[in-house]
């Protein structure tokens, strides 16, 4: 579930509905498991708690901090990943 951005310089992960996954988004990963996107290697965006210096080596995808499974690195969105609330 990736799309090439308009300037053809990078891939960006999207939810199944086509919306781009963004840092700060509140998501449901599967039934009963919720989380927040804490960094996006795709867009080079990181939070203070999850800095590029520690996570940038992953190169692709997003990192989601979950309430039940800890940190999960997604390199591709799956059918269960749902946006609950857009980052503000």
């Amino acid at each position: 579930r990736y799309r090439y951005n308009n300037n053809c310089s990078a891939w960006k992960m999207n939810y199944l509905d086509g919306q781009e996954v963004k840092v700060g988004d509140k998501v449901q990963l599967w039934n009963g498991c919720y989380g927040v996107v804490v960094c996006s290697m795709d867009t080079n965006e990181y939070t203070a708690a999850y800095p590029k210096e520690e996570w940038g080596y992953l190169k692709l995808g997003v990192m989601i901090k979950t309430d039940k499974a800890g940190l999960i690195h997604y390199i591709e969105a799956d059918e269960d990943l749902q946006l609950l609330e857009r980052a503000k």
Side-chain angles (χ1 to χ4, degrees):
R1 311 306 189 279
Y2 269 84
R3 68 172 171 77
Y4 215 52
N5 72 6
N6 293 337
N7 66 10
C8 297
S9 64
W11 291 97
K12 293 184 181 178
M13 187 182 299
N14 292 339
Y15 299 104
L16 290 181
D17 67 3
Q19 294 185 77
E20 183 180 324
V21 177
K22 296 186 177 191
V23 171
D25 284 352
K26 294 180 182 177
V27 298
Q28 178 174 292
L29 289 82
W30 59 81
N31 192 23
C33 184
Y34 302 93
V36 176
V37 179
V38 294
C39 55
S40 172
M41 286 59 75
D42 293 344
T43 61
N44 202 33
E45 295 176 285
Y46 299 84
T47 58
Y50 299 91
K52 182 177 183 175
E53 296 75 28
E54 291 184 34
W55 300 103
Y57 73 92
L58 293 171
K59 305 288 185 208
L60 292 174
V62 299
M63 185 73 70
I64 300 173
K65 182 180 179 185
T66 69
D67 60 346
K68 297 194 183 220
L71 290 173
I72 298 178
H73 177 223
Y74 276 86
I75 57 171
E76 183 176 333
D78 66 27
E79 64 275 359
D80 293 326
L81 184 64
Q82 296 178 17
L83 174 63
L84 299 177
E85 185 178 325
R86 179 56 84 188
K88 297 180 181 177

